[in-house]
Amino acid sequence: MRVERIINDTNDEFPIGIRVLAVDDDPTCLLLLESLLRRCKYNVTTTNQAITALKLLRQNKFDLVISDVHMPDMDGFKLLELVGLEMDLPVIMLSANGDTNVVMKGITHGACDYLLKPVRIEELNNIWQHVVRRKRFERKDRYNSDSQDKLRANSGEAVGMGSIGNNGKLKKKRKDQDEDEERDENGHHNNEDPSIRKKPRVAWSAELHGKFVAAVNQLGMKNATPKKILELMKVEKLTTQNVGSHLQAFIRTFSAYSYDDPKVITKLTKFRLYLKRISCAANQQVNIAAAVRMRSPNGLGNFHTLAGSNQLHNAAFRSFPPRGVLGRLNTHAALLIRGLPSPGTIRSGHGQNSVNSGNDQCKLQSFVSGIHNANILHGLPMSLELDQVQTNKGVSHIGELPIADSTTVFPVSSSLIEATVTGFSGNPLLGVTSNSLMLEASSQQAGNSRDIDPAIGFRNGNTLSDFAPLAPASNRKSNADLQREPIPINWNAGELITSAPQEWNSPYQSNVTPCSMNSSIPVSGTMVQFGLCLDQNNSTDSDSIGPLSFIDNSAMEQSIIDKEGYLMLEPWGQGSHIPYNIGLLEDLWEFQ
Amino acid sequence: MLGLAADRLRADMNRLLSFLFHQGILDEQFLQLQQLQDETSPNFVSEVVNIYFHESEKLLRNLRSLLMDREFSDYNKMGIHLNQFMGSSSSIGAKRIRNVCLAFRAASDQNNRAGYIHAAFAPPFFSASTFVLECIRGART
């Protein structure tokens, strides 16, 4: 497989020689860590200050960062976020404190692993996996998103991409560009090993984003096309594709915010990177089958029957064509997963969890899922979209088509997602559906990575009963499992779904978290919300709520932009997105 | 002659080490430390342990001053010191110290200041830590 071949070409003795940066203020542990890492034959650099670490990271190329949590000059979580934001490297947290909430915090802030002191050499022997994982997903994501970008650029930012007929064109173009992918068309220079990264990511640093925002401000939303933005930004080695994808994320996140607000900018960047991460991961798996299965004859509204059908489990395991389209879709999926404990849900007054717990869970979910979860999400939106195709009439959005070759999916999906998101408060079923999908995804995924039989077992035709009661259930569980365990989260999601249909009798106990239920709800909203409250320990309700409503739009907008080339810019002028979403939701329900 | 002395020294040290292991003062992490010592880093263990002692003395001093203060209320700060102490102790393999730290932290988590920490834990904590430190100091190669 190409990815593996490339990675192998990089370093025949991989993982020997991966460049690790170790940060710890305790000199004892630092020295010990350094020796252990050297013993594992890694290339080690150490520092006892976070600020120095950042400097080193900016100057040199590293593959992995191991950082202590408690440091005097900068909080380990802050460093973690910054690294993820700027360099997008895998970061492993290290601490003597193994409390679940601290571990959770680490995972939600994006750590790909959390080790406890005393750190053992066996654990360090395995950390290279994070490097491979990240590279692999990023390659795929870049491949996909580059294809997407090319497609979009090729269509010349035209608005008329909405028709289904274009879908075939898109596909064809994507295929044509498969060969192009290897060429460094982005114009980026690969100063690193060319075999590692064909196309280096554009790290949207605060400065770069500031330029971007200034350009967008200057042009105005209607005129903010990637090409023009790029011209205004005057940044070398930036392509319209990069700007375009960034613009999408931007629109998605900031439709309700003023984009001059630096706080918002930070959020956006974080959000953007999470999107990237998610889409990378989501490219792997696809439970489109689940999505397909979700489609019920009655359309969206009829979740009961939908859930009940055995199609659910069938769908779950159909392989998903890992195409570029998914890249975008993944964000939806990611949102879904991230939004496990949808704060929106909570807020909607279904009385399921406290907002705080929801937020925490949200944070937890979003990060925990990591690569694994992304897959789940990936599948989810697709199903939603497929459903939509049949029933949706009023949706003008063109959701991401998880299945490139399914032209029918085009029009509706995004509306479904939206409806799901906004309608969550009112439509537990929608949420449940997502959960089911998630379940499928998670179970599939879980099945792949570990033998999670219960999750798989669940698949056999459960009706989605009323979702709401599910939420309060099983709160405590698997907190411990959450430690460094992205999979369990999925589990929970899966379990929730399972329990939902089965009158809440989860066949398998562990790892059931109410979070999963929440996740189903706001597909995109959650994500944004999550992103917003991500690094803010004091995220307020308003924070969460704010993005929620327009997240949906952004999610949809993104896909629309993909297809239609900024068609979605229109809604910006319209003002409120919330009624827009609600309207769609109503439309959906009409189809019952 | 020298060889004999060195052998005897090594035998004594091994005896002390096994004593420490037996008493639960050290655990297998210390063995890992020893394994990391090889030709490329011949004095690794003594280096690490020296650094550990240096740092721990600082930490213990800080903790002592924090706790001795009658108006002590900054559990957070204490927690940070304690956490670092626990981290380095467990990395060294100082099991006994780590356990004491754990107990200490559990008590402080409850924020039970009234005599609980002071009377019950502070003196034993420090004495235990000091005792263990001395033992390890004696055991280093």
Side-chain angles (χ1 to χ4, degrees):
Chain A
M1 184 180 165
R2 187 170 22 177
V3 171
E4 285 152 10
R5 174 175 55 78
I6 287 169
I7 289 180
N8 286 339
D9 287 348
T10 314
N11 188 348
D12 284 339
E13 302 170 329
F14 190 89
I16 290 176
I18 63 174
R19 293 152 294 199
V20 182
L21 177 68
V23 189
D24 194 336
D25 65 318
D26 182 2
T28 318
C29 297
L30 192 61
L31 183 56
L32 185 67
L33 194 59
E34 182 183 357
S35 314
L36 285 172
L37 290 169
R38 291 243 157 81
R39 189 53 72 93
C40 298
K41 303 215 180 62
Y42 300 146
N43 195 329
V44 190
T45 313
T46 61
T47 172
N48 62 347
Q49 286 187 335
I51 300 173
T52 318
L54 282 171
K55 201 154 57 99
L56 286 170
L57 284 167
R58 289 189 188 117
Q59 289 167 356
N60 309 312
K61 180 78 183 71
F62 285 97
D63 296 312
L64 181 68
V65 180
I66 300 183
S67 165
D68 186 35
V69 167
H70 300 285
M71 288 192 288
D73 58 341
M74 189 191 297
D75 187 27
F77 298 123
K78 191 85 174 51
L79 176 67
L80 161 64
E81 284 208 0
L82 286 173
V83 172
L85 222 56
E86 288 189 36
M87 298 116 202
D88 195 37
L89 291 177
V91 181
I92 296 179
M93 302 305 291
L94 196 61
S95 177
N97 189 343
D99 286 347
T100 311
N101 51 338
V102 184
V103 176
M104 202 180 298
K105 199 174 170 197
I107 302 295
T108 50
H109 280 64
C112 58
D113 204 352
Y114 193 107
L115 301 180
L116 287 187
K117 290 181 185 175
V119 60
R120 302 193 310 274
I121 198 167
E122 298 87 27
E123 292 174 344
L124 291 180
N125 263 323
N126 290 332
I127 59 176
W128 59 269
Q129 296 173 8
H130 299 291
V131 180
V132 177
R133 219 173 276 140
R134 186 71 69 108
K135 273 191 198 164
R136 186 189 173 93
F137 291 144
E138 204 171 291
R139 288 196 57 79
K140 273 198 163 176
D141 175 58
R142 206 167 336 131
Y143 170 79
N144 290 330
S145 61
D146 283 340
S147 306
Q148 274 293 350
D149 289 343
K150 286 186 197 120
L151 283 174
R152 217 164 7 92
N154 287 343
S155 63
E157 300 158 15
V159 164
M161 293 280 294
S163 70
I164 292 181
N166 283 334
N167 198 16
K169 224 196 310 178
L170 287 172
K171 274 193 300 170
K172 179 173 175 294
K173 280 194 176 157
R174 196 178 308 118
K175 284 183 194 139
D176 289 341
Q177 287 159 355
D178 277 0
E179 287 74 30
D180 294 348
E181 214 276 336
E182 291 305 317
R183 286 190 274 119
D184 200 357
E185 287 188 344
N186 279 347
H188 286 234
H189 289 303
N190 230 327
N191 11 8
E192 317 134 3
D193 295 338
S195 53
I196 295 181
R197 288 183 185 215
K198 289 289 178 175
K199 296 188 176 134
R201 301 170 47 93
V202 176
W204 282 90
S205 65
E207 183 194 329
L208 204 59
H209 181 74
K211 284 190 188 168
F212 169 81
V213 164
V216 170
N217 264 333
Q218 201 173 326
L219 290 169
M221 280 316 300
K222 295 254 179 198
N223 285 335
T225 61
K227 226 177 205 174
K228 293 186 188 160
I229 297 176
L230 186 64
E231 286 166 15
L232 280 178
M233 282 175 72
K234 296 191 187 58
V235 173
E236 286 183 4
K237 299 188 185 177
L238 202 63
T239 69
T240 40
Q241 291 127 15
N242 301 128
V243 176
S245 19
H246 192 70
L247 179 66
Q248 286 181 24
F250 184 73
I251 290 176
R252 202 175 332 141
T253 321
F254 287 91
S255 56
Y257 282 162
S258 144
Y259 39 78
D260 285 337
D261 185 3
K263 214 163 60 129
V264 165
I265 291 175
T266 315
K267 287 179 190 172
L268 169 67
T269 324
K270 289 181 197 162
F271 179 65
R272 178 80 187 108
L273 285 166
Y274 287 125
L275 291 182
K276 268 282 185 207
R277 225 172 273 152
I278 292 166
S279 46
C280 285
N283 276 338
Q284 285 187 4
Q285 277 196 26
V286 178
N287 293 322
I288 295 187
V292 174
R293 281 340 184 137
M294 288 305 298
R295 185 197 318 226
S296 82
N298 298 340
L300 191 58
N302 198 346
F303 286 96
H304 287 287
T305 54
L306 190 71
S309 70
N310 291 331
Q311 308 161 340
L312 260 182
H313 67 272
N314 291 341
F317 294 93
R318 217 159 293 159
S319 67
F320 186 82
R323 302 302 261 328
V325 178
L326 294 178
R328 296 288 170 235
L329 182 60
N330 293 336
T331 57
H332 294 286
L335 287 178
L336 187 60
I337 293 199
R338 302 265 180 228
L340 282 177
S342 143
T345 312
I346 294 174
R347 214 169 298 106
S348 67
H350 284 283
Q352 301 176 355
N353 290 322
S354 71
V355 178
N356 288 338
S357 70
N359 283 341
D360 289 341
Q361 286 173 345
C362 180
K363 289 178 192 173
L364 169 64
Q365 297 302 339
S366 41
F367 283 100
V368 172
S369 53
I371 294 176
H372 297 290
N373 290 337
N375 295 333
I376 298 180
L377 287 176
H378 195 71
L380 179 58
M382 296 191 35
S383 57
L384 294 176
E385 292 179 5
L386 292 173
D387 267 326
Q388 292 291 356
V389 176
Q390 289 189 354
T391 59
N392 193 337
K393 57 174 185 197
V395 183
S396 58
H397 294 291
I398 298 181
E400 303 261 31
L401 292 183
I403 304 178
D405 36 25
S406 153
T407 60
T408 58
V409 177
F410 235 117
V412 215
S413 46
S414 37
S415 62
L416 174 56
I417 295 174
E418 233 185 45
T420 307
V421 179
T422 49
F424 177 71
S425 29
N427 300 296
L429 284 184
L430 287 177
V432 179
T433 307
S434 334
N435 281 338
S436 318
L437 290 176
M438 196 180 317
L439 173 60
E440 294 300 352
S442 59
S443 41
Q444 166 144 8
Q445 179 177 23
N448 291 343
S449 48
R450 2 171 127 205
D451 300 321
I452 301 184
D453 292 320
I456 295 176
F458 164 76
R459 240 171 297 138
N460 297 320
N462 295 309
T463 44
L464 294 172
S465 56
D466 186 3
F467 201 40
L470 184 59
S474 65
N475 251 313
R476 293 321 102 175
K477 318 274 180 124
S478 66
N479 266 348
D481 296 339
L482 290 174
Q483 247 180 346
R484 325 181 198 175
E485 291 288 330
I487 297 288
I489 298 292
N490 295 334
W491 266 71
N492 297 332
E495 286 199 43
L496 276 179
I497 298 175
T498 313
S499 27
Q502 296 171 355
E503 300 135 358
W504 315 96
N505 288 333
S506 181
Y508 30 94
Q509 290 94 335
S510 64
N511 303 340
V512 176
T513 52
C515 299
S516 41
M517 175 168 139
N518 296 328
S519 57
S520 60
I521 302 165
V523 180
S524 43
T526 310
M527 182 151 170
V528 171
Q529 183 167 358
F530 169 71
L532 290 175
C533 60
L534 181 55
D535 191 18
Q536 296 172 5
N537 300 333
N538 48 351
S539 64
T540 61
D541 286 3
S542 56
D543 256 2
S544 323
I545 294 182
L548 184 58
S549 48
F550 64 83
I551 290 287
D552 314 336
N553 287 326
S554 3
M556 284 178 32
E557 288 165 6
Q558 184 201 19
S559 47
I560 293 183
I561 288 175
D562 281 344
K563 302 290 182 278
E564 303 177 354
Y566 315 103
L567 176 60
M568 281 310 297
L569 287 181
E570 305 285 3
W572 280 74
Q574 294 168 4
S576 72
H577 292 282
I578 298 175
Y580 178 66
N581 289 338
I582 292 176
L584 284 175
L585 182 60
E586 287 166 3
D587 280 345
L588 287 169
W589 281 106
E590 278 170 26
F591 290 108
Q592 300 187 22
Chain B
M1 257 345 253
L2 273 172
L4 267 177
D7 285 341
R8 205 172 306 146
L9 211 56
R10 203 168 294 129
D12 285 342
M13 187 196 69
N14 285 336
R15 221 171 326 124
L16 178 58
L17 274 174
S18 47
F19 164 74
L20 290 174
F21 278 111
H22 187 69
Q23 293 290 310
I25 293 177
L26 288 180
D27 59 15
E28 58 272 3
Q29 183 71 16
F30 190 73
L31 289 175
Q32 277 218 357
L33 219 68
Q34 287 184 307
Q35 282 166 10
L36 282 173
Q37 178 161 307
D38 55 12
E39 312 79 45
T40 56
S41 51
N43 300 319
F44 177 69
V45 180
S46 72
E47 270 177 35
V48 178
V49 177
N50 272 332
I51 295 177
Y52 169 69
F53 285 142
H54 191 67
E55 290 296 312
S56 317
E57 276 173 272
K58 258 196 288 177
L59 285 170
L60 280 175
R61 221 180 305 132
N62 288 339
L63 278 170
R64 191 179 279 120
S65 62
L66 272 177
L67 285 171
M68 294 311 185
D69 185 6
R70 282 190 184 276
E71 285 91 27
F72 170 67
S73 60
D74 194 352
Y75 287 88
N76 201 28
K77 195 155 179 209
M78 185 189 81
I80 294 176
H81 283 127
L82 195 62
N83 198 45
Q84 180 167 349
F85 189 42
M86 195 167 82
S88 48
S89 305
S90 50
S91 302
I92 288 287
K95 186 162 87 171
R96 181 79 66 85
I97 296 188
R98 185 172 125 256
N99 291 340
V100 173
C101 288
L102 275 173
F104 201 34
R105 187 171 71 170
S108 69
D109 278 348
Q110 298 169 16
N111 274 355
N112 191 351
R113 185 175 181 216
Y116 184 50
I117 295 182
H118 286 233
F121 280 91
F125 173 71
F126 288 116
S127 55
S129 315
T130 323
F131 164 73
V132 176
L133 282 178
E134 291 305 320
C135 282
I136 301 181
R137 200 197 292 265
R140 55 181 225 259
T141 44

